[in-house]
Amino acid sequence: MIVSMPASDQLIGEPFIEGDQIHVRLITGQYAYKFTVFVDKIIKVPFKYLYLSFPKDIQGQSIRKSRRIKCNLQATVAEKAIPITISDLSICGAGITSHLPLGTHWD
């Protein structure tokens, strides 16, 4: 596997050494995966990237019953007129963000 090297400008020394073991966890669509790989080779020119070994064992798990669709909808929580942003939608729910705490009591 070939992956771009994470931003490491603020780290002192080399962030990766050939032979390092890396535990990978990722979410894609409706599934979460985890596996272990090793750094086979580090390339710095012309771009920073890593050659990683292919994982011997990949574990996956369904985390959602339905796919989430990304969006950027502005809305408000009706009772207190708290502004929110709906960041994704699915049949089973939505992802929202707010600069104000939700679910607390204001008097």
Side-chain angles (χ1 to χ4, degrees):
M1 295 186 336
I2 300 174
V3 298
S4 58
M5 190 178 301
S8 59
D9 297 338
Q10 298 176 355
L11 297 176
I12 297 171
E14 295 295 320
F16 297 100
I17 298 172
E18 290 181 13
D20 278 352
Q21 182 177 16
I22 300 174
H23 300 284
V24 178
R25 288 175 174 73
L26 62 94
I27 296 174
T28 176
Q30 296 171 236
Y31 299 93
Y33 299 96
K34 72 176 185 175
F35 51 88
T36 300
V37 295
F38 294 90
V39 176
D40 285 341
K41 189 152 181 81
I42 300 169
I43 306 297
K44 296 181 180 177
V45 176
F47 306 104
K48 294 181 181 180
Y49 59 93
L50 304 172
Y51 280 103
L52 303 177
S53 65
F54 194 81
K56 293 179 181 177
D57 180 41
I58 301 173
Q59 297 175 350
Q61 179 177 338
S62 174
I63 58 171
R64 295 188 177 102
K65 292 182 181 178
S66 61
R67 185 174 196 95
R68 291 190 176 260
I69 307 300
K70 290 184 180 183
C71 61
N72 186 12
L73 303 172
Q74 303 303 313
T76 57
V77 175
E79 293 177 2
K80 298 287 183 176
I82 299 170
I84 62 170
T85 301
I86 302 171
S87 57
D88 60 58
L89 290 169
S90 75
I91 294 172
C92 299
I96 63 170
T97 57
S98 173
H99 295 292
L100 298 173
L102 300 174
T104 58
H105 223 63
W106 291 292
D107 291 327

